[in-house]
Amino acid sequence: MSQPSPEPAPPAVRAQILATEHWGLLAVRSQTWNEVMGRISAQLTFTSAVLVFLALAVQGLGYTETFRILAITLGLVVLLTGTLTSFRVANASQEDYFFVLGMNRLRAAYVAIDPTLAQYFVTGLGDDPRQVTQTYTMGPVRDVNHVLASAATFVIVVNSIVVGGLVAFVAWPGGPWLAAILAIVLALVHVALWMLHGKRTYDVNTDPRWVRFPGPDEDADLS
């Protein structure tokens, strides 16, 4: 004998359950970015301390082989910690996308309970990429300006400058021009590789298989 299907909860109870999940996502999202901002601040502090140390060391050692080896060693350490920070920021950005996607789904559920609420939301009401972007930007179309101003890009640029400086010290015996050219080229390669990594992550985030509740605009395109 089949079990009878449970009765749906009253709208007020459903709204309370959804609100609990909503606040849970907000709390974890806030905790994630507090941790990431702390990591970025620690990395910048460490990088600044290394630069100050090298500035003081060169006054005593001069541009000798000893100073060059010291600069390369510290540069490798800074690059290692900076790369780990970049990975953490990239992972947090991907997690953040799904936090926003989840909250958009909850707003879709709120509107399903009371459709008259839709007109009051500034954020997205679905989990398709367009609606998630609306939540991030509060309406305007996301463009290259948003990418360049992101925390991920900031860390990538700082790490790329470290790469350039490190390569310059390594290649310095070959002459200043060779060192400068290699530093610029490899710094740009570093930026390009991380941008490619970001593009692949974005493609994973916006995969259609994640979409369960497309927003009104997406419905219009599909019709």
Side-chain angles (χ1 to χ4, degrees):
M1 181 177 178
S2 60
Q3 296 291 332
S5 57
E7 291 291 331
V13 176
R14 295 171 62 190
Q16 184 177 2
I17 295 172
L18 293 171
T20 301
E21 173 70 3
H22 202 150
W23 282 109
L25 290 176
L26 285 172
V28 177
R29 187 187 186 198
S30 176
Q31 182 179 10
T32 298
W33 280 109
N34 285 337
E35 186 258 331
V36 169
M37 291 299 110
R39 288 280 293 272
I40 293 175
S41 297
Q43 176 62 25
L44 292 179
T45 300
F46 179 54
T47 303
S48 300
V50 168
L51 290 175
V52 172
F53 175 78
L54 290 177
L56 295 174
V58 74
Q59 296 179 26
L61 299 174
Y63 289 99
T64 61
E65 188 67 14
T66 301
F67 174 76
R68 177 171 167 269
I69 293 174
L70 178 63
I72 291 173
T73 302
L74 290 176
L76 287 172
V77 175
V78 172
L79 181 59
L80 174 61
T81 57
T83 300
L84 294 176
T85 301
S86 286
F87 277 120
R88 182 65 190 104
V89 173
N91 291 339
S93 296
Q94 185 171 38
E95 294 166 11
D96 190 69
Y97 183 92
F98 286 98
F99 287 146
V100 173
L101 182 148
M103 288 186 282
N104 275 18
R105 286 180 179 175
L106 295 175
R107 277 186 284 271
Y110 295 147
V111 172
I113 295 174
D114 185 357
T116 63
L117 295 174
Q119 60 183 323
Y120 301 107
F121 286 107
V122 178
T123 48
L125 300 179
D127 57 3
D128 59 85
R130 181 181 299 179
Q131 296 297 318
V132 173
T133 297
Q134 181 174 338
T135 299
Y136 271 116
T137 63
M138 296 300 170
V141 177
R142 200 172 193 179
D143 57 19
V144 68
N145 176 59
H146 294 88
V147 177
L148 294 177
S150 66
T153 300
F154 177 77
V155 176
I156 290 170
V157 170
V158 172
N159 288 342
S160 298
I161 293 172
V162 174
V163 169
L166 179 60
V167 171
F169 277 112
V170 172
W172 189 262
W177 281 106
L178 176 63
I181 292 173
L182 287 177
I184 294 172
V185 170
L186 290 182
L188 292 176
V189 169
H190 184 267
V191 171
L193 289 175
W194 273 100
M195 289 298 179
L196 179 61
H197 179 271
K199 176 62 168 58
R200 289 177 175 174
T201 301
Y202 178 79
D203 290 340
V204 171
N205 293 349
T206 57
D207 192 298
R209 73 176 182 271
W210 305 122
V211 179
R212 297 180 183 176
F213 308 98
D217 294 336
E218 197 74 10
D219 286 334
D221 292 341
L222 295 176
S223 60

